[in-house]
Amino acid sequence: MSKSIHREGHHGPSVFDNRSQLDPTARPAWFTEHIETIPEAGRRLLEQYSGLPPEQVLSHVIAVRDKAFDIWSYACIGQVRFLDFTLPKLPYWVEILSRLRSDASFVDAGCCFGQKIRFLVFNAKIPATQLRAFDLEPAFIDMGYELFRDKGNLDAHFLSGNLLADDSSTGGQELASLDGKMDVVHVASVLHCWAWDDMVVAAKRLVSLTSKDPGSLIVGNQMGSLDAGQYEMPTGTGYNYRHNEESMERFWQQVGEETNSKWKVASGMYLPAVVKENREHSWAKSDPNMRMIWFCATRVQ
């Protein structure tokens, strides 16, 4: 078992405030102990892109998943949702794909194992040299190469970066190399890790990555609620803010005002099966209004 890493103040660490968040005898409710299948799109990618024999895919995924969960106890890792590619199912996909096929630059913020980068390279046939990705946890970048078996064969650029760090810190310095260079910023299941104020800080950092030209995009999806507001995190490590369409509009208005920029925002709520299932658990705090929300913020100045 890999050593747990302490990341104070962030959602999902396996150790928080010097206390283990993982029961040594029973995993959290958002960890699926017995995995019998993985999402079909992920299986195809691992077989056709990575060259894994079909009979080895499941055990290979579970081995990487278990190591990763011992570092950060995210539900998307525990439930193997990182291999369910929602990007092409969301309304902004056609626009992103069109831009990428016209040589736009792209960065995936909070990329986890870089699975969306591999999806874009293999499924969408986007040149890897257009693609960037970063995650707070450097070990996840290495695990991505382990998961997809493409170390030395993928020309995309990965780096570690912290959206809440200032430019003088290591995480901030690496992100600074992308400042003002990105045409499309993608941030999925990341911003919902924070309460409103920290979410604003993170979004302002995303804005700094974008090209200053009108038309730059920041797109993503995250946990939301029909009743927008602040909710206790299931790990007990703080609170997060869950948006609806109205609060998302206010949020990007504030981000624009604080970055001397202006954004046109489209958003929408949706209810995938996994949310229907998860909101019934006590760890989800039984929020019947829980949804997912997608957003597409287009820079207008």
Side-chain angles (χ1 to χ4, degrees), residues 32-89:
T32 304
E33 188 73 41
H34 302 291
I35 300 290
E36 297 181 358
T37 62
I38 63 171
E40 185 58 31
R43 173 175 285 279
R44 286 197 303 269
L45 187 64
L46 287 162
E47 290 179 6
Q48 299 173 17
Y49 169 77
S50 303
L52 275 165
E55 66 274 12
Q56 294 180 17
V57 170
L58 184 60
S59 60
H60 178 66
V61 169
I62 291 173
V64 174
R65 186 279 302 261
D66 289 354
K67 287 197 300 183
F69 198 81
D70 285 334
I71 298 175
W72 286 80
S73 56
Y74 290 127
C76 61
I77 293 175
Q79 298 174 343
V80 197
R81 288 190 277 112
F82 57 88
L83 287 174
D84 185 13
F85 298 109
T86 59
L87 184 57
K89 303 173 186 177

Coordinates of all heavy atoms in Angstrom, one line a residue, residues 32-89:
T32 N -16.2 1.6 -4.1 CA -16.9 0.4 -4.6 C -15.9 -0.7 -4.5 O -14.9 -0.8 -5.2 CB -17.4 0.5 -6.0 OG1 -18.2 1.7 -6.2 CG2 -18.1 -0.7 -6.5
E33 N -16.1 -1.6 -3.5 CA -15.2 -2.6 -3.1 C -15.0 -3.7 -4.3 O -13.9 -4.1 -4.7 CB -15.6 -3.3 -1.8 CG -14.6 -4.3 -1.3 CD -13.3 -3.6 -0.7 OE1 -13.5 -2.6 0.0 OE2 -12.2 -4.1 -1.0
H34 N -16.2 -4.1 -4.8 CA -16.2 -5.2 -5.8 C -16.6 -4.6 -7.1 O -17.7 -4.3 -7.4 CB -17.1 -6.3 -5.4 CG -16.8 -6.9 -4.0 ND1 -15.6 -7.7 -3.8 CD2 -17.4 -6.8 -2.8 CE1 -15.6 -8.0 -2.6 NE2 -16.6 -7.5 -2.0
I35 N -15.6 -4.4 -8.0 CA -15.8 -3.9 -9.3 C -15.8 -5.1 -10.3 O -14.9 -5.9 -10.4 CB -14.6 -3.0 -9.8 CG1 -14.5 -1.8 -8.8 CG2 -14.8 -2.5 -11.2 CD1 -15.7 -0.8 -8.9
E36 N -16.9 -5.2 -11.0 CA -17.1 -6.3 -12.0 C -17.0 -5.8 -13.4 O -16.6 -6.6 -14.3 CB -18.4 -7.0 -11.8 CG -18.6 -7.7 -10.4 CD -19.9 -8.4 -10.2 OE1 -20.7 -8.3 -11.1 OE2 -20.1 -9.0 -9.1
T37 N -17.3 -4.6 -13.6 CA -17.2 -4.0 -15.0 C -16.6 -2.6 -14.9 O -16.8 -2.0 -13.8 CB -18.5 -4.0 -15.7 OG1 -19.4 -3.2 -15.0 CG2 -19.1 -5.4 -15.9
I38 N -16.1 -2.1 -15.9 CA -15.7 -0.7 -16.0 C -16.4 0.0 -17.2 O -16.9 -0.8 -18.1 CB -14.2 -0.5 -16.1 CG1 -13.7 -1.1 -17.4 CG2 -13.5 -1.1 -14.9 CD1 -12.2 -0.8 -17.7
P39 N -16.5 1.3 -17.2 CA -17.2 1.9 -18.4 C -16.7 1.5 -19.7 O -15.4 1.3 -19.9 CB -17.0 3.4 -18.1 CG -16.9 3.5 -16.7 CD -16.1 2.3 -16.2
E40 N -17.5 1.2 -20.7 CA -17.1 0.6 -21.9 C -16.1 1.5 -22.7 O -15.2 1.0 -23.3 CB -18.4 0.4 -22.8 CG -18.1 -0.4 -24.1 CD -17.4 -1.7 -23.9 OE1 -17.6 -2.4 -22.9 OE2 -16.6 -2.1 -24.8
A41 N -16.3 2.8 -22.6 CA -15.4 3.7 -23.3 C -14.0 3.6 -22.7 O -13.0 3.6 -23.5 CB -15.9 5.2 -23.2
G42 N -13.9 3.5 -21.4 CA -12.6 3.3 -20.8 C -12.0 2.0 -21.2 O -10.8 1.9 -21.4
R43 N -12.8 0.9 -21.2 CA -12.3 -0.4 -21.6 C -11.7 -0.4 -23.1 O -10.6 -0.9 -23.3 CB -13.4 -1.5 -21.5 CG -13.0 -2.8 -22.1 CD -14.0 -3.9 -21.9 NE -14.0 -4.3 -20.5 CZ -13.1 -5.2 -20.0 NH1 -12.2 -5.7 -20.8 NH2 -13.2 -5.6 -18.7
R44 N -12.5 0.3 -24.0 CA -12.0 0.3 -25.4 C -10.7 1.1 -25.4 O -9.8 0.7 -26.2 CB -13.0 1.0 -26.2 CG -14.3 0.2 -26.5 CD -15.0 0.7 -27.7 NE -15.4 2.1 -27.5 CZ -16.6 2.5 -27.0 NH1 -17.4 1.5 -26.6 NH2 -16.9 3.7 -26.8
L45 N -10.6 2.2 -24.7 CA -9.3 3.0 -24.7 C -8.2 2.1 -24.2 O -7.1 2.2 -24.8 CB -9.5 4.2 -23.8 CG -8.4 5.2 -23.9 CD1 -8.2 5.8 -25.3 CD2 -8.6 6.4 -22.9
L46 N -8.3 1.4 -23.1 CA -7.3 0.6 -22.6 C -6.9 -0.6 -23.5 O -5.7 -0.9 -23.6 CB -7.7 0.1 -21.2 CG -7.6 1.2 -20.1 CD1 -8.4 0.7 -18.9 CD2 -6.2 1.5 -19.7
E47 N -7.8 -1.1 -24.2 CA -7.5 -2.2 -25.1 C -6.9 -1.7 -26.4 O -5.9 -2.3 -26.9 CB -8.8 -3.0 -25.4 CG -9.3 -3.8 -24.2 CD -10.6 -4.6 -24.5 OE1 -11.0 -4.6 -25.7 OE2 -11.2 -5.2 -23.6
Q48 N -7.5 -0.7 -27.0 CA -7.1 -0.3 -28.3 C -6.0 0.8 -28.3 O -5.1 0.7 -29.2 CB -8.3 0.3 -29.1 CG -9.4 -0.7 -29.3 CD -10.7 -0.1 -29.8 OE1 -10.7 1.0 -30.4 NE2 -11.8 -0.8 -29.7
Y49 N -6.0 1.6 -27.3 CA -4.9 2.6 -27.2 C -3.7 2.1 -26.5 O -2.5 2.2 -26.9 CB -5.4 3.9 -26.6 CG -4.3 4.9 -26.2 CD1 -3.7 5.7 -27.1 CD2 -3.9 5.0 -24.8 CE1 -2.8 6.6 -26.8 CE2 -3.0 5.9 -24.5 CZ -2.4 6.7 -25.4 OH -1.4 7.6 -25.1
S50 N -4.0 1.5 -25.3 CA -2.9 1.0 -24.4 C -2.4 -0.4 -24.8 O -1.3 -0.8 -24.4 CB -3.4 1.0 -23.0 OG -3.8 2.3 -22.6
G51 N -3.2 -1.1 -25.5 CA -2.8 -2.5 -26.0 C -3.0 -3.5 -24.9 O -2.3 -4.6 -25.0
L52 N -3.8 -3.3 -23.9 CA -4.0 -4.3 -22.8 C -4.8 -5.4 -23.3 O -5.9 -5.2 -23.9 CB -4.6 -3.6 -21.6 CG -3.7 -2.9 -20.6 CD1 -4.6 -2.0 -19.7 CD2 -2.9 -3.9 -19.8
P53 N -4.5 -6.7 -23.0 CA -5.3 -7.8 -23.4 C -6.6 -7.7 -22.6 O -6.6 -7.2 -21.4 CB -4.5 -9.0 -22.9 CG -3.1 -8.5 -22.8 CD -3.2 -7.1 -22.5
P54 N -7.8 -8.0 -23.2 CA -9.1 -7.8 -22.5 C -9.1 -8.4 -21.2 O -9.7 -7.8 -20.2 CB -10.0 -8.5 -23.5 CG -9.4 -8.3 -24.8 CD -7.9 -8.5 -24.6
E55 N -8.5 -9.6 -21.0 CA -8.6 -10.3 -19.7 C -7.8 -9.6 -18.6 O -8.0 -9.9 -17.4 CB -8.2 -11.7 -19.9 CG -6.7 -12.0 -20.2 CD -6.4 -11.9 -21.7 OE1 -7.3 -11.5 -22.4 OE2 -5.3 -12.3 -22.1
Q56 N -7.0 -8.7 -19.0 CA -6.1 -8.0 -18.0 C -6.6 -6.6 -17.6 O -6.2 -6.0 -16.6 CB -4.7 -7.9 -18.5 CG -4.0 -9.2 -18.7 CD -2.5 -9.0 -19.2 OE1 -2.0 -7.9 -19.1 NE2 -1.9 -10.0 -19.7
V57 N -7.6 -6.1 -18.3 CA -8.0 -4.7 -18.1 C -8.6 -4.4 -16.7 O -8.2 -3.5 -16.1 CB -9.1 -4.3 -19.2 CG1 -9.7 -2.9 -18.9 CG2 -8.4 -4.2 -20.6
L58 N -9.5 -5.3 -16.3 CA -10.2 -5.0 -15.0 C -9.2 -5.0 -13.9 O -9.2 -4.1 -13.0 CB -11.3 -6.0 -14.8 CG -12.1 -5.8 -13.6 CD1 -12.8 -4.5 -13.6 CD2 -13.2 -7.0 -13.4
S59 N -8.4 -6.0 -13.8 CA -7.4 -6.1 -12.7 C -6.4 -5.0 -12.7 O -6.0 -4.5 -11.7 CB -6.7 -7.5 -12.7 OG -6.0 -7.7 -13.9
H60 N -6.0 -4.6 -13.9 CA -5.1 -3.5 -14.1 C -5.7 -2.2 -13.5 O -5.0 -1.4 -12.8 CB -4.7 -3.4 -15.5 CG -3.8 -2.2 -15.8 ND1 -2.5 -2.2 -15.4 CD2 -3.9 -1.1 -16.6 CE1 -1.9 -1.1 -15.8 NE2 -2.8 -0.4 -16.5
V61 N -6.9 -1.9 -13.9 CA -7.6 -0.7 -13.5 C -7.8 -0.7 -12.0 O -7.5 0.3 -11.3 CB -9.0 -0.6 -14.2 CG1 -9.8 0.5 -13.5 CG2 -8.8 -0.3 -15.7
I62 N -8.2 -1.8 -11.4 CA -8.4 -1.9 -10.0 C -7.1 -1.7 -9.2 O -7.1 -1.0 -8.2 CB -9.1 -3.2 -9.6 CG1 -10.5 -3.3 -10.1 CG2 -9.0 -3.5 -8.1 CD1 -11.1 -4.7 -10.0
A63 N -6.0 -2.2 -9.7 CA -4.7 -2.1 -9.0 C -4.3 -0.6 -8.9 O -3.9 -0.1 -7.9 CB -3.7 -2.9 -9.7
V64 N -4.5 0.1 -10.1 CA -4.1 1.6 -10.1 C -5.1 2.3 -9.2 O -4.7 3.2 -8.5 CB -4.1 2.1 -11.5 CG1 -3.9 3.6 -11.5 CG2 -3.0 1.4 -12.3
R65 N -6.4 2.0 -9.3 CA -7.4 2.7 -8.5 C -7.1 2.6 -7.0 O -7.2 3.6 -6.3 CB -8.8 2.1 -8.8 CG -10.0 2.7 -8.2 CD -10.3 2.4 -6.8 NE -10.5 1.0 -6.5 CZ -11.7 0.4 -6.4 NH1 -12.8 1.1 -6.5 NH2 -11.8 -0.9 -6.1
D66 N -6.8 1.4 -6.6 CA -6.5 1.2 -5.2 C -5.3 2.0 -4.7 O -5.4 2.6 -3.6 CB -6.3 -0.3 -4.9 CG -7.6 -1.1 -5.0 OD1 -8.6 -0.6 -5.2 OD2 -7.4 -2.4 -4.9
K67 N -4.3 2.1 -5.5 CA -3.1 2.9 -5.1 C -3.5 4.4 -5.0 O -3.1 5.1 -4.1 CB -2.0 2.7 -6.1 CG -1.3 1.3 -5.9 CD 0.1 1.3 -6.6 CE 0.0 1.6 -8.1 NZ 1.3 1.6 -8.7
A68 N -4.3 4.8 -6.0 CA -4.6 6.2 -6.0 C -5.6 6.6 -4.9 O -5.4 7.7 -4.3 CB -5.3 6.5 -7.4
F69 N -6.5 5.7 -4.5 CA -7.4 6.0 -3.5 C -6.7 6.1 -2.1 O -7.2 6.9 -1.2 CB -8.5 5.0 -3.4 CG -9.8 5.4 -2.7 CD1 -10.7 6.2 -3.3 CD2 -10.0 5.0 -1.4 CE1 -11.9 6.6 -2.6 CE2 -11.1 5.4 -0.7 CZ -12.1 6.2 -1.3
D70 N -5.6 5.5 -2.0 CA -4.9 5.6 -0.7 C -4.1 6.9 -0.6 O -3.5 7.2 0.4 CB -3.9 4.4 -0.6 CG -4.6 3.1 -0.2 OD1 -5.7 3.2 0.4 OD2 -4.1 2.0 -0.5
I71 N -4.1 7.7 -1.7 CA -3.5 9.0 -1.7 C -4.6 10.1 -1.5 O -4.5 10.9 -0.7 CB -2.7 9.3 -3.0 CG1 -1.5 8.3 -3.1 CG2 -2.1 10.7 -3.0 CD1 -0.7 8.4 -4.3
W72 N -5.6 10.0 -2.4 CA -6.8 10.9 -2.3 C -8.0 10.1 -2.4 O -8.2 9.4 -3.4 CB -6.7 12.0 -3.4 CG -5.7 13.0 -3.2 CD1 -4.4 12.9 -3.5 CD2 -5.9 14.3 -2.7 NE1 -3.7 14.1 -3.1 CE2 -4.7 15.0 -2.7 CE3 -7.1 15.0 -2.2 CZ2 -4.5 16.3 -2.2 CZ3 -6.9 16.3 -1.8 CH2 -5.7 17.0 -1.8
S73 N -8.9 10.2 -1.5 CA -10.1 9.4 -1.4 C -11.3 10.0 -2.2 O -12.4 10.2 -1.6 CB -10.5 9.1 0.0 OG -10.7 10.3 0.8
Y74 N -11.1 10.4 -3.4 CA -12.1 11.0 -4.2 C -13.1 9.9 -4.7 O -12.8 8.8 -5.0 CB -11.5 11.6 -5.5 CG -10.7 12.8 -5.3 CD1 -9.4 12.9 -5.8 CD2 -11.3 13.9 -4.6 CE1 -8.7 14.1 -5.6 CE2 -10.5 15.1 -4.4 CZ -9.2 15.2 -4.9 OH -8.5 16.3 -4.7
A75 N -14.4 10.3 -4.7 CA -15.4 9.3 -5.1 C -15.3 8.9 -6.6 O -15.5 7.7 -6.9 CB -16.8 10.0 -4.9
C76 N -14.8 9.8 -7.4 CA -14.6 9.4 -8.8 C -13.5 8.4 -9.0 O -13.6 7.6 -10.0 CB -14.3 10.7 -9.7 SG -12.7 11.5 -9.2
I77 N -12.6 8.3 -8.1 CA -11.6 7.2 -8.1 C -12.2 6.0 -7.4 O -12.1 4.9 -8.0 CB -10.3 7.7 -7.3 CG1 -9.6 8.8 -8.1 CG2 -9.4 6.5 -7.2 CD1 -8.4 9.4 -7.4
G78 N -12.8 6.1 -6.3 CA -13.4 5.0 -5.6 C -14.4 4.2 -6.4 O -14.6 3.0 -6.3
Q79 N -15.2 5.0 -7.2 CA -16.2 4.4 -8.0 C -15.8 4.1 -9.5 O -16.7 3.8 -10.3 CB -17.5 5.2 -8.0 CG -18.0 5.4 -6.6 CD -19.2 6.4 -6.5 OE1 -19.4 7.2 -7.4 NE2 -19.9 6.3 -5.4
V80 N -14.5 4.3 -9.8 CA -14.0 4.2 -11.1 C -14.7 5.0 -12.2 O -14.9 4.6 -13.3 CB -13.9 2.7 -11.5 CG1 -13.0 2.4 -12.7 CG2 -13.4 1.8 -10.4
R81 N -15.2 6.1 -11.8 CA -15.9 7.0 -12.7 C -14.9 7.8 -13.6 O -15.4 8.4 -14.6 CB -16.9 8.0 -12.0 CG -18.1 7.3 -11.4 CD -19.1 8.2 -10.9 NE -18.8 8.7 -9.6 CZ -18.5 9.9 -9.2 NH1 -18.3 10.8 -10.1 NH2 -18.3 10.2 -8.0
F82 N -13.7 7.7 -13.3 CA -12.7 8.5 -14.1 C -12.6 7.9 -15.5 O -12.0 8.5 -16.4 CB -11.3 8.5 -13.4 CG -10.7 7.1 -13.1 CD1 -10.0 6.4 -14.0 CD2 -11.0 6.5 -11.9 CE1 -9.5 5.2 -13.7 CE2 -10.4 5.3 -11.5 CZ -9.7 4.6 -12.5
L83 N -13.1 6.7 -15.7 CA -13.1 6.1 -17.1 C -14.4 6.2 -17.8 O -14.6 5.6 -18.8 CB -12.7 4.6 -17.0 CG -11.2 4.3 -16.7 CD1 -10.9 2.9 -16.4 CD2 -10.3 4.9 -17.8
D84 N -15.3 7.0 -17.2 CA -16.6 7.2 -17.9 C -16.5 8.6 -18.5 O -16.6 9.6 -17.8 CB -17.7 7.2 -16.9 CG -19.1 7.4 -17.5 OD1 -19.2 7.3 -18.8 OD2 -20.1 7.6 -16.8
F85 N -16.3 8.7 -19.8 CA -15.9 10.0 -20.5 C -17.2 10.7 -20.8 O -17.9 10.5 -21.8 CB -15.1 9.7 -21.7 CG -13.8 9.0 -21.4 CD1 -13.6 7.7 -21.8 CD2 -12.8 9.7 -20.8 CE1 -12.4 7.1 -21.5 CE2 -11.6 9.1 -20.5 CZ -11.4 7.8 -20.9
T86 N -17.5 11.7 -19.9 CA -18.7 12.5 -20.1 C -18.5 13.7 -21.1 O -19.5 14.3 -21.5 CB -19.2 13.1 -18.8 OG1 -18.2 13.9 -18.2 CG2 -19.6 11.9 -17.8
L87 N -17.3 14.0 -21.4 CA -17.0 15.2 -22.2 C -17.8 15.2 -23.5 O -18.4 16.2 -23.8 CB -15.5 15.3 -22.5 CG -15.0 16.5 -23.3 CD1 -15.4 17.8 -22.6 CD2 -13.5 16.4 -23.4
P88 N -17.8 14.1 -24.3 CA -18.6 14.2 -25.6 C -20.1 14.2 -25.4 O -20.8 14.3 -26.4 CB -18.1 13.0 -26.3 CG -17.7 12.0 -25.2 CD -17.1 12.9 -24.2
K89 N -20.6 14.0 -24.1 CA -22.0 14.0 -23.9 C -22.6 15.4 -23.5 O -23.8 15.6 -23.4 CB -22.4 13.0 -22.8 CG -21.9 11.6 -23.0 CD -22.1 10.7 -21.8 CE -21.5 9.3 -22.0 NZ -21.6 8.5 -20.8

